[in-house]
Amino acid sequence: MATASVYVAPSIQHPRAARTSVVASWVLQIPVAALFAFAGFHKLTGDPAMVQLFDAIGIGQWFRYVTGALELGGAVGLLVPAVAPAAAVGLIGVMTGAILTHLFILHNSPAIPLALLTALVAIAWLRRATLARWAGAR
C-alpha cells in the first residue's frame, strides 16, 4: 500500500527545530545583508573600482545602478522577517548572474559571489517553511 508524503513545515513538526532554523538564518542573514549593503552602496555612489568593473562588463553604467539597487534592496529585505525569504531568492538570481559574469566576461574568480550564493541558498532553505506557505497560498 502506497502512502502519500506531505510536507510539514518544521515549525509545525518540531518547534525546537523551527527555532534553530530561525536563529541559524539570522546568523547568516545579518552579515550577508551587511555585505550586500556595502556592495550596493559602493555601486550606487560611483566608487571608482565599481565604475571600472562595470566598464569591463561592457553593458553600461546603468547596469551598475540596477545591480546596486537590487543589492541594497535585497540587503534591506534580508533584515525584514516578512520578506527575507523572497529577498534571499531574488539575490540568488543576482549572484547567479555575477558568477556567470565573472566566469564568461571578466574571466576571473567567482569565489565571492559563489560564497554569497551558498549563504543565500542556505537562508532560503532555512526559511523554506515561509516559502512553502507562500507557494501554497496561490
Side-chain angles (χ1 to χ4, degrees), residues 39-110:
F41 174 80
H42 283 280
K43 286 177 180 78
L44 291 174
T45 58
D47 181 288
M50 292 293 109
V51 171
Q52 183 180 17
L53 176 70
F54 280 82
D55 275 342
I57 292 170
I59 296 175
Q61 292 301 310
W62 67 270
F63 190 59
R64 175 175 53 86
Y65 289 110
V66 169
T67 304
L70 289 171
E71 289 177 348
L72 200 54
V76 171
L78 285 173
L79 299 176
V80 177
V83 297
V89 171
L91 288 169
I92 285 170
V94 173
M95 286 301 95
T96 300
I99 290 166
L100 294 172
T101 300
H102 279 274
L103 287 173
F104 299 112
I105 297 173
L106 300 173
H107 305 290
N108 61 21
S109 173

